[in-house]
Amino acid sequence: MNTAPDTPVTQLVTGPAMTVDMNQAAAEVRAAMNRRGVLFAAVCQDGRVTAVLDRRNLNRQLAAAGRWLRVRDVVHPGMACLRPTATVSAAARLMHITGSAAVPVVDEHHRLIGLVTADAVAAVGTPAGATPV
């Protein structure tokens, strides 16, 4: 990829991203993620993106706790989001701080544009101290 770390994250956004609700059954969400072939889904609560659901983590949680889980039992709300003007370096720093392998990119009305993944950021290369997870 021919992108510099100061490039806007919109160059790396995957979208449209799958969105799920906090109250959805986790097993149903996993099945939908498998059907669509996605590793991450944006979790919305009251119309705002509040978390990112990682299918690998979801699989572990369902294996341990059973099929009665809801999305809210698997994610931790309060995810920081990026604006389209944020840089790839900012995405890498946020992933490093939060430990998340994907970060939502939202517009000024907090509507989801898409997700930026750690794999996409790593493909660009990031400065020292901003290593993605």
Side-chain angles (χ1 to χ4, degrees):
M1 178 172 289
N2 193 13
T3 309
D6 61 348
T7 299
V9 292
T10 52
Q11 299 292 318
L12 303 180
V13 168
T14 59
M18 181 177 175
T19 58
V20 299
D21 186 82
M22 279 284 202
N23 295 312
Q24 282 183 267
E28 291 174 14
V29 169
R30 176 177 61 183
M33 291 175 82
N34 287 337
R35 277 193 307 276
R36 290 184 63 181
V38 298
L39 291 178
F40 304 101
V43 180
C44 294
Q45 185 176 17
D46 299 325
R48 296 177 65 89
V49 178
T50 59
V52 172
L53 182 61
D54 182 326
R55 190 174 72 194
R56 293 167 290 214
N57 183 43
L58 178 59
N59 287 337
R60 283 190 298 273
Q61 294 285 332
L62 282 168
R67 57 181 240 148
W68 303 110
L69 290 177
R70 298 277 175 196
V71 170
R72 69 177 172 261
D73 301 320
V74 178
V75 299
H76 303 287
M79 174 55 121
C81 298
L82 296 171
R83 299 291 179 156
T85 55
T87 64
V88 172
S89 293
R93 282 191 303 275
L94 185 57
M95 288 177 197
H96 181 73
I97 291 167
T98 64
S100 178
V103 175
V105 178
V106 298
D107 67 14
E108 63 275 3
H109 302 290
H110 210 76
R111 288 185 300 243
L112 182 67
I113 295 170
L115 298 174
V116 174
T117 66
D119 288 343
V121 170
V124 171
T126 55
T131 307
V133 294

